[in-house]
Amino acid sequence: MTRRRTSRLLALPLAFGLLAAACGGSDGDSDGGGDTTPVATEASGGEEPAEEPAEEPAENEDIAEAGTEAEGDVDTEAAEAISAVSYGGDIAVGLEAEAVGLRPWEDTCSSPCYNIIGTIYDKLMEKDSNGQLQPWLAESISSNEDFTSWTMTLRPGVTFHNGVELTAQTIADMFPVQQAGTVSAGVVAASGLVGVEATGDLEVTYTLGAANSAFPAYLERAALGMVFEPAAAVADPDSYSTAPIGTGPFVIDSRDLDNETKVVRNENYWNSDAEGNQLPYLDSIAFRPIPDEGTRLDAVLSGTVDAMQSLRQGTIRDARADGSLSLFEFQGNNVGGGMFNVLKAPFDDVRVRKGLTHLNSQPNVIEALGGTGISLPGSQWFSPDSVWYSEKVAAAWPKFDFEGGVALVSEYVNDPERSDGKAVGEKIDVELSCPPDPTLIAAMQVIEQVWSQTELVNVELTQFDQQTHINRAITDEHNAHCWRFSDDNDPATYTSAFAPPTAEIAAENGLDGIVSPVNFPNYFSAANFGAAAGAVATDDFDERFAAYESIMLDFAENVPLWYSGHTATMIAADPKLDGIVGWHLPQGGDLGIGQQAAEGRWLEVFITS
Amino acid sequence: MALMLFARLARLAATLFAVTLITFSMVSLLPGDPVDAILGQTERTPEIEEELRTELKLDEPFVQRYLNWLGDAVQGDLGESYINRGQTVTGEIKNRVPVTGQLALMAIMMAVAVAVPVGILGAYRQGKWQDTTTSAAAQVALSVPNFITGIFLIYVFSVRLGWLPASNWNRITNKGLVENLKTAIMPATALALTQMAIFSRLVRSDMIGTLQQDFILAARAKGLSNRFILFRHALRPSSLSLATIIGINFGALLGGTVVIETLFAVPGLGFRLINAINSRDILMIQGITVFVAAAYVIINALVDILYTFIDPRIRKS
């Protein structure tokens, strides 16, 4: 059963969130090979790619065609396995961190965690290789006219690891747990979900409090999209963290926190490959958190583990240099950089923000971060591969321009009405803060040098541990602050980033009661908020694109934040492993998104002989 | 003896009380809100944050929170992790102590096994090439940070030779002693190197002093062999400082293996503690700190008792 087809991700949907763990989009086209399941989503809202997928490559083609990828892009295309699949075998995977817990509603989950829980739980929706949302445990989903009600039909014949059958009532019973969940409660509120009802044996109706054309995007992430067994979850929520019950391809075997989480094959898994062979292929997977990047890479090179993930450019560089591993790279919307606290002087003045951004040499910063040739410079919250990427925004973004930057800052410094209360001609004070990561410190020093060279800026570099760093942003103690923006979810999932940051600003704009704790730069534009709200009230892609483009253009004009480069991620594996980027939609349908944001899908991985 | 034990226990209780108060105060002063750490970057509303704060009793005054914790702690309940909800602090300590304890014990044993003969040799051959060589080696060992040693060991024994796993931990209960030792030997060696240097320097200097004592001269005059004099007569009185420093360092290793445990991804107390600090998992920090402090005091009390066996003069006095 040798399968080999190639596809290239062409367009991506979408989605972003502040400070998400590195995520990425890749480009390529779907080959649509295999038996495509007849369940194409009817979900609306931004799932259409901006352009049609490229021509389907020929079957058995070895190497993906280049073509539409952004210059310098290093994404690995989703591709069919190159070897005959085989059953059996145990592998170990090194993760950059431990999963806090294994409950989708209760425990925060980022890239390392998704590797684990993705084997235990199935999601209702998944992304195909074009980045479009497609049903997974669902068979179809559609909305009413105004996107306030979504009707989903579930796949029949699915059972949980404990033998309980998945029905519409299961999804309805999950909802109270999700409403009360530490993590999912906020997502429920953000999505506008107010009710879930079983309207048939396998038919579920989601009721929203307001229009949300991008609602299915929430069903593709853990908090609302991963299906758990609600009766068991309610009976013993604490035990569920270490002994979760899902419908996924693997069953939890053991969990030794900070050491190893082992999952074993689910013999009754509902999904099969294109030839009807039951999935998964592997007997077991042991996920091992190895926080040190160097040790994790050494662990793969020495055979201690068979694969690893990384969200660090330096590790990608080292793995490339070694040359002995299979590397699956991905670069999506998540973009590094920083933000100005616009509620504080002198960052309340756009001349300062824009001037300092003109004085940010992106290539040098990316070089300091170790990302040259790996990370693409950012100009917006979308990578050049994303369907939401705007050339207009890219052109509008303030580029490195020393004289231009000096002119703007100088204008502020010499303004008798300058907002920081200092005397005319006195330098502005800028505290530039990052977590104490060596590469971030190097990048900060690059920025500091240029800013200081202007003779207009006193730069103070500070470093705080990650939690303190985040807390300073939440409590508005920050000034110029390293940060990450966006991810590969639908932009609608991050509408609250554009909401008023304080009650006072909300009141001034007639938006009483709408206050967002996650608008970290504290920058508010009524037009942006209106555009974000409007974008979820329509499923017309062009309208939605225009809305998000207008927000990004406003950012380019008013510069509440600055960018370095998009975050590159990687899964590196022993070449004996295959099928890592070649997972399919159910029953061997279209290719899935691959290894976006180093979220490995281990369902179809096998060991080559 | 009973009076001494009582005094020790009283001192232990006072120390632990001070440690709990200081730790609780310091952790509470740390910037960063546990609620933010729990919610991460997920969507939230101010109401959700407040609910969580109330649920965790973070909205209560400091003194009340401390007294509540202390009341539970004296009954053996150190609370639950804020981050890994449902996970008890006591359970985590029970799970981690065997790992860190084994590492610390192996490191100390390896260090003593090497340091004692090296220290004796240095003292016996004072000023000769054996002494200068071992002294120089000790200086090097003291100068190299243990994580550098760890990286070197991984490169040589995992990447190049493929003899040992580069990371993680095989528990004896699951995979047997041999597999366990394969994961333990490199981190233990990395920890042991500095200890070896310290111990050997200490044994050397103490032995030099002892070898100048009258009773050593008397032993020599009796025609006893050098080996007999060194190991039978000189080593014992030279071991008091070594015993002290072993006790202190063993206690320190229980809470101080953070870097090595992180480098080798070993699920010990240090690894857990640093994760707890980074995520503002207050009760976990508090619980582990108290445990380490208690272990430290108890180990050093045991060392004090050990003195009486090493040197009968102390027992008699």
Side-chain angles (χ1 to χ4, degrees):
Chain A
M1 185 172 55
T2 301
R3 299 177 300 172
R4 184 175 178 86
R5 288 165 300 190
T6 309
S7 71
R8 235 166 9 82
L9 301 181
L10 216 213
L12 277 191
L14 334 176
F16 54 116
L18 273 172
L19 225 176
C23 296
S26 56
D27 46 358
D29 58 83
S30 166
D31 74 353
D35 299 327
T36 307
T37 44
V39 290
T41 180
E42 296 166 43
S44 47
E47 270 64 60
E48 303 94 323
E51 49 190 315
E52 288 298 313
E55 285 295 309
E56 184 174 323
E59 293 271 318
N60 301 320
E61 183 177 309
D62 284 353
I63 300 169
E65 291 175 18
T68 56
E69 290 193 343
E71 188 180 352
D73 201 325
V74 292
D75 290 349
T76 306
E77 67 276 10
E80 300 285 353
I82 60 172
S83 306
V85 300
S86 59
Y87 278 98
D90 309 296
I91 67 166
V93 179
L95 304 177
E96 72 160 14
E98 178 60 287
V100 167
L102 302 177
R103 296 164 297 188
W105 69 94
E106 188 67 25
D107 304 308
T108 52
C109 193
S110 58
S111 174
C113 161
Y114 267 97
N115 278 271
I116 303 175
I117 65 172
T119 64
I120 298 164
Y121 301 100
D122 284 311
K123 289 184 281 189
L124 291 164
M125 306 292 289
E126 279 281 11
K127 285 182 191 152
D128 65 18
S129 57
N130 289 323
Q132 295 191 69
L133 289 170
Q134 300 287 354
W136 185 267
L137 271 186
E139 266 192 341
S140 66
I141 186 166
S142 60
S143 75
N144 63 356
E145 277 288 306
D146 62 1
F147 310 108
T148 55
S149 175
W150 289 82
T151 304
M152 176 179 71
T153 303
L154 291 169
R155 190 173 296 281
V158 176
T159 56
F160 287 95
H161 299 158
N162 62 356
V164 172
E165 192 180 351
L166 171 68
T167 66
Q169 191 58 46
T170 308
I171 307 297
D173 291 344
M174 281 165 49
F175 186 56
V177 181
Q178 290 168 328
Q179 281 181 303
T182 301
V183 165
S184 55
V187 183
V188 167
S191 68
L193 185 60
V194 293
V196 182
E197 191 182 354
T199 46
D201 287 348
L202 294 172
E203 186 184 276
V204 181
T205 300
Y206 291 98
T207 305
L208 309 186
N212 190 345
S213 60
F215 177 71
Y218 289 96
L219 304 181
E220 195 268 328
R221 304 310 288 164
L224 293 189
M226 284 192 168
V227 175
F228 56 90
E229 213 277 272
V234 169
D236 191 355
D238 289 347
S239 296
Y240 214 92
S241 182
T242 51
I245 299 167
T247 63
F250 292 89
V251 180
I252 190 84
D253 179 68
S254 60
R255 180 153 164 82
D256 181 4
L257 197 72
D258 287 338
N259 193 33
E260 183 178 278
T261 299
K262 188 175 180 185
V263 295
V264 296
R265 183 212 308 272
N266 174 7
E267 300 291 351
N268 301 311
Y269 191 51
W270 56 271
N271 197 2
S272 59
D273 66 16
E275 279 71 30
N277 301 306
Q278 193 183 17
L279 295 170
Y281 301 125
L282 292 170
D283 288 337
S284 75
I285 309 173
F287 293 101
R288 296 179 187 161
I290 309 173
D292 185 81
E293 290 283 323
T295 305
R296 200 175 331 122
L297 182 57
D298 285 343
V300 190
L301 293 172
S302 64
T304 305
V305 298
D306 303 282
M308 63 168 278
Q309 60 150 198
S310 179
L311 292 84
R312 296 296 178 122
Q313 295 155 116
T315 310
I316 296 174
R317 183 190 56 214
D318 293 345
R320 283 186 187 178
D322 176 78
S324 67
L325 302 173
S326 301
L327 305 185
F328 306 104
E329 296 182 30
F330 189 85
Q331 186 160 198
N333 292 336
N334 183 257
V335 59
M339 61 188 172
F340 302 107
N341 181 357
V342 305
L343 293 182
K344 276 189 176 177
F347 310 112
D348 56 347
D349 193 302
V350 68
R351 292 171 296 182
V352 172
R353 301 196 300 264
K354 203 166 197 170
L356 293 177
T357 305
H358 273 307
L359 296 165
N360 171 29
S361 172
Q362 281 181 305
N364 288 337
V365 170
I366 291 171
E367 172 74 31
L369 291 166
T372 300
I374 297 172
S375 179
L376 295 172
S379 62
Q380 54 200 284
W381 287 17
F382 312 109
S383 82
D385 297 326
S386 169
V387 293
W388 303 101
Y389 179 79
S390 164
E391 293 287 355
K392 202 190 288 186
V393 175
W397 182 255
K399 306 291 185 300
F400 180 71
D401 173 7
F402 190 83
E403 287 75 23
V406 168
L408 282 166
V409 178
S410 187
E411 192 181 314
Y412 175 85
V413 165
N414 294 311
D415 185 347
E417 303 295 318
R418 57 189 284 184
S419 58
D420 62 359
K422 288 191 167 191
V424 169
E426 206 174 332
K427 291 179 180 180
I428 60 170
D429 292 325
V430 174
E431 184 209 12
L432 176 58
S433 188
C434 280
D437 176 276
T439 57
L440 287 177
I441 292 169
M444 273 204 304
Q445 287 168 339
V446 169
I447 296 173
E448 179 206 16
Q449 280 181 359
V450 183
W451 287 358
S452 298
Q453 274 172 19
T454 63
E455 304 278 325
L456 297 167
V457 187
N458 284 322
V459 186
E460 181 194 3
L461 298 183
T462 58
Q463 291 118 38
F464 298 94
D465 69 276
Q466 181 83 0
Q467 194 53 44
T468 305
H469 185 78
I470 293 169
N471 186 256
R472 293 187 79 226
I474 291 170
T475 55
D476 293 336
E477 292 172 56
H478 59 311
N479 292 285
H481 213 62
C482 289
W483 209 248
R484 293 191 170 284
F485 308 94
S486 165
D487 61 30
D488 291 287
N489 294 319
D490 190 287
T493 59
Y494 225 86
T495 300
S496 50
F498 313 119
T502 66
E504 295 74 26
I505 293 173
E508 285 167 15
N509 289 275
L511 296 167
D512 293 274
I514 302 177
V515 176
S516 170
V518 294
N519 182 347
F520 296 111
N522 294 313
Y523 174 74
F524 179 74
S525 152
N528 288 353
F529 186 65
V536 295
T538 175
D539 63 349
D540 183 277
F541 177 78
D542 291 339
E543 282 182 43
R544 301 193 72 215
F545 182 89
Y548 294 117
E549 183 181 60
S550 72
I551 295 170
M552 292 299 119
L553 281 170
D554 179 70
F555 281 3
E557 179 61 32
N558 290 298
V559 203
L561 32 92
W562 76 87
Y563 306 116
S564 52
H566 288 276
T567 303
T569 65
M570 170 190 77
I571 287 181
D574 186 309
K576 75 183 181 201
L577 292 191
D578 204 346
I580 290 175
V581 293
W583 61 275
H584 296 77
L585 295 173
Q587 271 80 49
D590 289 345
L591 276 168
I593 190 72
Q595 75 302 341
Q596 179 175 271
E599 291 174 17
R601 313 295 170 88
W602 306 96
L603 169 68
E604 295 186 48
V605 172
F606 61 95
I607 302 170
T608 60
S609 50
Chain B
M1 184 63 111
L3 194 63
M4 188 185 82
L5 279 175
F6 179 77
R8 290 281 175 204
L9 285 173
R11 198 189 301 175
L12 172 64
T15 305
L16 290 182
F17 176 74
V19 166
T20 60
L21 187 58
I22 291 168
T23 311
F24 209 88
S25 308
M26 290 179 72
V27 170
S28 299
L29 287 173
L30 275 177
D33 186 345
V35 168
D36 293 324
I38 293 165
L39 292 174
Q41 301 307 308
T42 55
E43 292 280 356
R44 86 281 294 272
T45 61
E47 292 75 27
I48 289 171
E49 291 178 341
E50 279 315 302
E51 273 178 30
L52 193 54
R53 197 163 280 114
T54 305
E55 183 188 331
L56 299 175
K57 299 181 178 173
L58 290 167
D59 54 349
E60 291 178 358
F62 168 80
V63 174
Q64 191 177 339
R65 278 192 291 133
Y66 174 68
L67 291 176
N68 287 344
W69 178 85
L70 195 62
D72 292 338
V74 294
Q75 298 173 61
D77 177 7
L78 294 173
E80 281 192 7
S81 166
Y82 285 165
I83 307 297
N84 303 94
R85 312 289 295 280
Q87 183 183 77
T88 65
V89 175
T90 312
E92 267 302 273
I93 291 172
K94 277 183 189 165
N95 199 31
R96 308 278 176 150
V97 165
V99 177
T100 301
Q102 183 187 342
L103 272 188
L105 194 62
M106 282 178 68
I108 294 288
M109 287 169 67
M110 289 162 75
V112 170
V114 174
V116 169
V118 166
I120 291 172
L121 181 67
Y124 181 60
R125 296 287 185 192
Q126 188 188 0
K128 306 271 176 35
W129 69 268
Q130 294 95 330
D131 183 29
T132 51
T133 306
T134 53
S135 293
Q139 287 295 339
V140 171
L142 278 171
S143 309
V144 178
N146 57 18
F147 69 89
I148 296 291
T149 309
I151 290 169
F152 175 76
L153 292 172
I154 290 172
Y155 179 74
V156 173
F157 293 102
S158 297
V159 178
R160 303 305 302 176
L161 299 173
W163 291 352
L164 297 168
S167 65
N168 300 98
W169 186 259
N170 293 329
R171 292 188 187 273
I172 297 174
T173 46
N174 295 340
K175 300 188 177 172
L177 182 62
V178 173
E179 291 302 311
N180 166 263
L181 290 177
K182 281 183 183 174
T183 52
I185 193 74
M186 286 201 294
T189 305
L191 289 170
L193 207 61
T194 309
Q195 308 296 329
M196 279 176 199
I198 296 169
F199 296 172
S200 68
R201 301 294 293 165
L202 199 67
V203 171
R204 177 188 173 276
S205 59
D206 279 1
M207 282 290 277
I208 287 171
T210 307
L211 290 174
Q212 291 167 353
Q213 298 285 316
D214 291 343
F215 70 91
I216 297 294
L217 278 175
R220 281 190 175 136
K222 279 199 271 181
L224 296 175
S225 71
N226 282 334
R227 177 176 295 185
F228 192 82
I229 292 168
L230 286 172
F231 286 92
R232 181 71 184 175
H233 291 286
L235 181 58
R236 201 166 175 181
S238 304
S239 301
L240 279 177
S241 307
L242 182 65
T244 306
I245 203 74
I246 285 174
I248 290 170
N249 285 11
F250 186 77
L253 280 175
L254 282 180
T257 57
V258 173
V259 174
I260 287 299
E261 287 186 354
T262 305
L263 179 70
F264 286 94
V266 173
L269 273 180
F271 193 16
R272 189 69 185 90
L273 181 60
I274 197 69
N275 284 340
I277 291 169
N278 286 336
S279 57
R280 302 297 183 267
D281 197 348
I282 292 174
L283 296 187
M284 190 62 74
I285 300 171
Q286 180 79 356
I288 294 175
T289 308
V290 168
F291 172 80
V292 170
Y296 198 88
V297 173
I298 289 168
I299 288 166
N300 282 286
L302 291 174
V303 169
D304 285 354
I305 294 168
L306 192 66
Y307 286 162
T308 61
F309 293 97
I310 295 174
D311 190 340
R313 288 172 299 181
I314 296 173
R315 188 166 57 230
K316 284 171 187 165
S317 68

